[in-house]
Amino acid sequence: MRLAILGGGQLAWMLAQAAEPLGVSVAVLDPAPDCAAGRIADHVVAAYDDPDGLDRVAEGADVVTYEFENVPAAAVTRLAERGVPVLPFPASLTVTQDRAREKELMAGLGIRVAPYALIDGPDDAAAALAAVGAPGILKTRRLGYDGKGQVRVAAPEGLTAAVSELGGTDLIYEGLVRFERELSVVVARGADGQTAVYPPVENEHRDGILACTIAPAPDLDAAKRAEAERVGVEVAEALDHIGVLCVELFDTPDGIVANEIAPRVHNSGHWTIEGAVTSQFENHVRAVLGLPLGDASARGAAAMVNIVGSEPDLAELLAVPGAHVHRYGKAPRGGRKLGHVTLVAPGHGDLGGPLGRVRALADLAWET
Ligand code: AMP
């Protein structure tokens, strides 16, 4: 079997790693000659909307999938015209490329989301404030990631300036959710509609970028855990999603509030490589190829620490007992994800010392 992936970054690299033991060969399309997945997969170097590049990556593939949600519509159309299945289906992309459609979908499923209003010009600001109030966060509806394309609005009079800062149109203004912590839920859904739900995890961000995931989310009560899992499954079902998706959530005193959907394997699921019975990457490969899903249970407790900005010394990381180091082979740059380290232990209390050491090394690397 052969899998084609649009995008050749670290997510595609880890998908290719999961595909290899199953005897599934992988081709990636990525314009960057030195992309992470190019080290272990066949690599077509071309733009995502390049018809010839799309034809070449899809040649001989049983299915085409993607590692990022901003796949150009033209790419999906070209592949569809050639009769190559693209999974997850295009609906997963069109809904999740637009924060407004994403929120509409979730609200329609009875999932709590932050109050929001759409802003398509300066005249909409007053109505948005009347509906949502302040403080809030103004976001671009499309193409935002890792906290980019967002402005916090502390008081009502700040909204107009924020609107012009973000281009004046195609914006969404959300009420600020007062959360205790951030969570996410990763779900795999197979071609037969079966789902495998990973336990919800706790995520800590720094500068808008995921810094650390603790799995399963410590001390999450049964009702919130069930609600988080319901959100993941219902979103996957509503999109008829085949593959892995992630929903980012807020844990509030009044319950779970959903923030956004990623229609793909997710950074907050990296812990599953060592920490779950079947990784999110393997389950995505299984799902899009129509194979049975694997068990999504945790093997115990896990912590995943992102390496961002620069690389800590490899020997120092490996000196931490139980550290599983993943280096993406990317050039260091401020705010860029370069790798991650996972620790697995029988319980959360056993992660302590090693986790502190990995976090200290990662923090230092983030700052340099
Ligand atoms: P996003 O790009 O929507 O994932 O937002 C990035 C980060 O901004 C989230 O992980 C939260 O920490 C914060 N954030 C986004 N939306 C809200 C909101 N409505 N209320 C409070 N915090 C938010």
Side-chain angles (χ1 to χ4, degrees):
M1 280 186 284
R2 187 165 172 84
L3 178 65
I5 306 174
L6 304 182
Q10 63 263 23
L11 300 179
W13 176 64
M14 289 182 272
L15 285 167
Q17 286 177 31
E20 210 274 339
L22 304 181
V24 173
S25 70
V26 173
V28 300
L29 175 67
D30 195 301
D34 58 349
C35 71
R39 287 187 282 153
I40 59 167
D42 298 326
H43 180 191
V44 176
V45 184
Y48 296 119
D49 55 359
D50 178 77
D52 179 56
L54 287 161
D55 291 351
R56 279 192 291 143
V57 78
E59 200 181 319
D62 295 280
V63 62
V64 181
T65 190
Y66 44 84
E67 64 150 11
F68 65 109
E69 50 268 54
N70 294 313
V71 174
V76 176
T77 310
R78 173 78 183 191
L79 293 165
E81 281 168 4
R82 307 231 353 140
V84 190
V86 180
L87 289 175
F89 294 119
S92 290
L93 286 173
T94 49
V95 171
T96 60
Q97 281 173 353
D98 181 348
R99 290 183 187 276
R101 292 195 58 182
E102 213 169 71
K103 283 211 164 38
E104 246 170 59
L105 174 94
M106 293 197 282
L109 293 169
I111 296 167
R112 281 183 59 201
V113 295
Y116 68 97
L118 305 185
I119 297 188
D120 290 311
D123 298 346
D124 294 339
L129 277 172
V132 175
I137 303 189
L138 185 70
K139 302 179 181 178
T140 54
R141 275 174 65 170
R142 292 162 223 277
L143 296 175
Y145 70 99
D146 283 351
K148 292 184 177 60
Q150 310 195 358
V151 178
R152 292 218 170 206
V153 177
E157 52 278 14
L159 182 58
T160 311
V163 168
S164 50
E165 190 181 327
L166 289 184
T169 183
D170 225 16
L171 305 173
I172 181 166
Y173 178 59
E174 298 179 14
L176 198 71
V177 176
R178 297 192 192 280
F179 57 82
E180 289 168 338
R181 56 179 172 170
E182 295 191 66
L183 307 174
S184 60
V185 63
V186 171
V187 176
R189 185 166 177 274
D192 59 358
Q194 293 289 314
T195 51
V197 188
Y198 292 92
V201 298
E202 176 175 334
N203 300 317
E204 183 191 317
H205 294 86
R206 176 173 170 181
D207 308 333
I209 301 167
L210 182 65
C212 179
T213 295
I214 305 290
D219 305 317
L220 187 64
D221 68 48
K224 283 183 176 174
R225 177 179 173 158
E227 173 63 3
E229 293 181 356
R230 176 185 86 86
V231 168
V233 170
E234 290 201 358
V235 166
E237 286 176 350
L239 291 170
D240 192 15
H241 188 84
I242 295 174
V244 164
L245 67 68
C246 174
V247 186
E248 294 182 40
L249 309 163
F250 300 125
D251 183 3
T252 82
D254 311 322
I256 298 292
V257 176
N259 179 30
E260 67 171 347
I261 308 166
R264 54 169 169 79
V265 287
H266 192 261
N267 195 170
S268 68
H270 289 5
W271 66 275
T272 62
I273 296 175
E274 293 90 5
V277 177
T278 314
S279 79
Q280 63 164 349
F281 300 101
E282 181 171 334
N283 262 338
H284 186 77
V285 171
R286 291 184 186 213
V288 298
L289 287 170
L291 299 167
L293 298 181
D295 185 351
S297 316
R299 292 179 189 274
M304 189 285 315
V305 177
N306 266 342
I307 303 299
V308 176
S310 71
E311 300 241 27
D313 181 66
L314 178 61
E316 284 192 66
L317 282 176
L318 293 177
V320 179
H324 298 280
V325 177
H326 301 253
R327 301 169 83 205
Y328 309 152
K330 289 156 66 175
R333 194 197 306 144
R336 195 176 203 201
K337 293 174 184 169
L338 303 177
H340 73 268
V341 180
T342 301
L343 297 163
V344 183
H348 290 114
D350 310 308
L351 291 165
L355 178 55
R357 303 238 289 282
V358 171
R359 292 213 65 172
L361 291 167
D363 281 349
L364 209 61
W366 200 306
E367 284 147 20
T368 46

